[in-house]
Every structure is written in C-alpha cells, then in structure tokens.
Amino acid sequence: MKIILSILSQRLHLMKVVLIDRSVKKRADLEHRIVRIEQPSRETRNESYFKGLGEDLKVSKIISVEKESTALLLSEIMIDAESVLEMIKPDFILLYGSDLAALAVALLAVQKKIPLGHINAGLRNFDKSSPGEINSILVDHMSQLLFCSTSTTVDNLVNEGITSEIRVVGDLILEMLKMKRDEISQKAYGLLKEHDLKPEEYVLADIRFRKNLFPGRLSKILSGLISSNKKIVLLTYKRLNKAIKKNGIDIGKIKCVEDSSYLDTFALISNAEKVVCDSESMEREGYFYKKPTVVLRNTTVWNEILTNKWMTLVDSDKERIRNSIIDFSPSESSYRANLFGTGFNVADDIVEEIYKIL
C-alpha cells in the first residue's frame, strides 16, 4: 500500500483536497493521508465556511503554529512536520500552495528523498520582492511532478529550465464548481432574495490582502467603491469588520454580506455584474464565471487573464477603482472558455500521474 500525503496549509485548499481524496479512494493499492498546518491568526475564513465539504476527511495530524518571525515560523513548521513525516512515512507528498508551510515541507521532502508534487505549479507574478513568488519558485524547482492549469504556467516553468516534470491537468476548483453547479444555483436563488439583489445589477467586492487592511489603503479602496455609485456588495469577515470599525472608515451605502460559506461566495460571484477583489482565488473564480475583474493589487499570478483583458490591476487607487467599476468592459471575443481546461477528471488525472511514479 503506497501512501500519498496531502499537506493542507490553507483552509481554501480544502476544496482541492476533497477531490484528490475521492480519486485516491478509487484505487485499492493507494492510501491518502492528510496533515493540516494552520496559522489561525492569518486565516480569514473560519471552519463553518466549508460546511458540507470535507466533513468525512480523515486528518492524520493538525499542526498549529503561531510566530511573527518568518525564521521562527519556518523552523517550527519544519520541526513539527518532520516528526509527522517520520510517523506516516509517505511515498509521495502533495502540496497545494506556495506559502511558508509548503516551502517548509518541500525542504523536508528533498532532504528525506520523498517525491514531491505541486498543484497549481508555475504561478508567477514576477515580483521578486514578494515572499510568495520566491516560495513558489523554490517549491516548483524542488518538485518531481508539477501540475499546471494553463499554458502560461507551463511557459513560466519552461523559461526557468523545467520541462520533464510538467503535467497539464487543468484546475481543481473549476472541477469543484462544475460538480456543485446545481447547489450553487439553488444557493443563488435564496441569497439574492434574502439580500434584495438582482442578477447582474451589483458589484461583488472582497478585500483579503493584509496590506489592503491598513487604514490608508482600506479607506481609499472603500471610497473608490462608493464613488462608483454602483450597488456594491462587500463580503465581510471578522478582521475586515474590525479594521473598518477601529479606523472609523465610512462605508456609505455599501451592502455588507457576511462571507459565511464557499457556496454562498460562488453564488454571489456567478450573479454579479463585476468582481472587485485582491485574492488570487477570486481573480480566477471571477474568470470562471465570465465576470470582468478589478484587482486591488499591482500584480497578479493569473497573467493569462490579464492578457485576455478580462482583468485590470488598479491597486488601491481611488480613481482607477471607480473608473474601472464603471467603464471596464472586456470584449466577448477575447474570452477563452477552456483557458483553465475543461474542469473534468482533473483530480483523477493528478492521481494517475502520481501512481505512475510510485
């Protein structure tokens, strides 16, 4: 029995792990083990956000770490994760992101000569001052299997001298959205009615980036949203609410909706006119639902969406936010429906590629 170990280092990755778990269970000679590495203070979504998803997952170990220093955090994760690897003795390790926890486990995998796979490999924002960019490059170069979702991510890896390790499989979140399509539609009907919203008549805003919660930036972002005179629906959560209240920031007529579940979020994206966000996940999900997306940062890892002109980068500039909400209108002809693959059999293809090298 060969063991595949998934490292779940962000709660948002749970959706991907669920699909991999289902695929591994189809094979009698494979076992799937899951280890969660959590940094509670950095999470913006609580456990209830994923209600109805992954309750049947068997987690072998939860590692909880809290350190402000990057060096201390990295060392603590490595120490705790090493003992877990010695206990589980995996034949393959699968990473779902490129945060510090993923980097720590990748370093251990190399030292212990355990084959490593990286989902969503090849993502680059080309900003070497970004820790996430460096982590992503390092994890990719330490991995034996690199699972890419687009041709652009493949090109990024090839340009760095990586070729034989690449596998183009598509996107796991797109597969999840297709699986949950009916549930999302049902959720949308109830949500729109509850909040008195009409399809294509509101702009959905989501602010997660830590830097954007600083008072100066947050105030400019919210002012830009308000000045558009559009109906703005803002997804709220504890840290954002605290930042708004603590700094006495005016939110005008913005409609606040608690970000309570992943199905609710997808339902609101699917019915919005536009999406305004700063998270890599929603940038991509906006594209899945064919929504013009205004990004509250000056870089993105989804350069293929930017190239297709379905995304615009505005950072925290009030005027650019306002103008983009009003005027940004991509051409229908530039939309590529299968940019991220078809969304079918993604998890099965990933597990098949892992199985081949075990």
Side-chain angles (χ1 to χ4, degrees), residues 55-228:
E55 278 88 347
D56 59 339
L57 285 179
K58 294 181 180 179
V59 177
S60 299
K61 179 73 174 178
I62 297 177
I63 299 173
S64 184
V65 289
E66 284 294 349
K67 289 285 188 296
E68 285 301 318
S69 163
T70 299
L72 289 175
L73 186 60
L74 182 64
S75 62
E76 184 175 353
I77 294 171
M78 290 188 72
I79 290 168
D80 290 346
E82 184 171 33
S83 64
V84 171
L85 295 184
E86 290 172 355
M87 175 185 69
I88 295 175
K89 294 181 170 48
D91 297 285
F92 191 91
I93 297 175
L94 193 54
L95 302 176
Y96 296 79
S98 54
D99 52 19
L100 201 62
L103 176 61
V105 174
L107 289 168
L108 287 171
V110 170
Q111 292 169 4
K112 295 178 178 297
K113 295 181 170 54
I114 304 171
L116 187 68
H118 189 200
I119 289 175
N120 281 344
L123 294 180
R124 301 288 184 268
N125 63 18
F126 303 103
D127 177 9
K128 291 293 181 65
S129 68
S130 164
E133 177 78 353
I134 302 303
N135 291 348
S136 184
I137 293 170
L138 292 173
V139 170
D140 282 344
H141 282 259
M142 286 187 278
S143 298
Q144 282 67 53
L145 286 177
L146 295 166
F147 299 109
C148 295
S149 56
T150 71
S151 59
T152 299
T153 54
V154 171
D155 292 342
N156 291 341
L157 293 171
V158 170
N159 289 338
E160 293 172 11
I162 300 174
T163 53
S164 61
E165 299 89 346
I166 296 170
R167 304 291 186 274
V168 183
V169 293
D171 195 279
L172 282 169
I173 297 300
L174 182 57
E175 182 172 12
M176 176 62 75
L177 291 181
K178 288 182 179 292
M179 286 177 56
K180 297 285 186 178
R181 181 180 295 161
D182 291 342
E183 289 180 64
I184 292 169
S185 295
Q186 291 171 8
K187 275 281 187 180
Y189 176 80
L191 273 173
L192 296 185
K193 186 175 181 180
E194 177 186 351
H195 296 290
D196 192 26
L197 300 172
K198 294 181 180 179
E200 305 292 331
E201 292 188 6
Y202 64 90
V203 173
L204 182 66
D206 187 41
I207 306 170
R208 303 275 167 180
F209 190 33
R210 274 196 162 197
K211 191 176 177 181
N212 282 341
L213 297 184
F214 294 167
R217 289 180 66 90
L218 183 57
S219 180
K220 288 192 291 183
I221 289 169
L222 291 172
S223 293
L225 294 173
I226 294 167
S227 64
S228 71

Side-chain angles (χ1 to χ4, degrees), residues 34-50:
I34 302 165
V35 170
R36 292 177 60 170
I37 302 177
E38 295 195 335
Q39 300 172 60
S41 67
R42 293 173 182 253
E43 288 285 359
T44 61
R45 294 174 174 88
N46 58 33
E47 294 284 356
S48 63
Y49 182 83
F50 300 99

Side-chain angles (χ1 to χ4, degrees), residues 311-324:
M311 173 196 294
T312 184
L313 306 178
V314 298
D315 203 25
S316 62
D317 187 296
K318 175 184 173 180
E319 292 304 315
R320 289 166 65 196
I321 293 169
R322 173 189 176 277
N323 293 339
S324 294

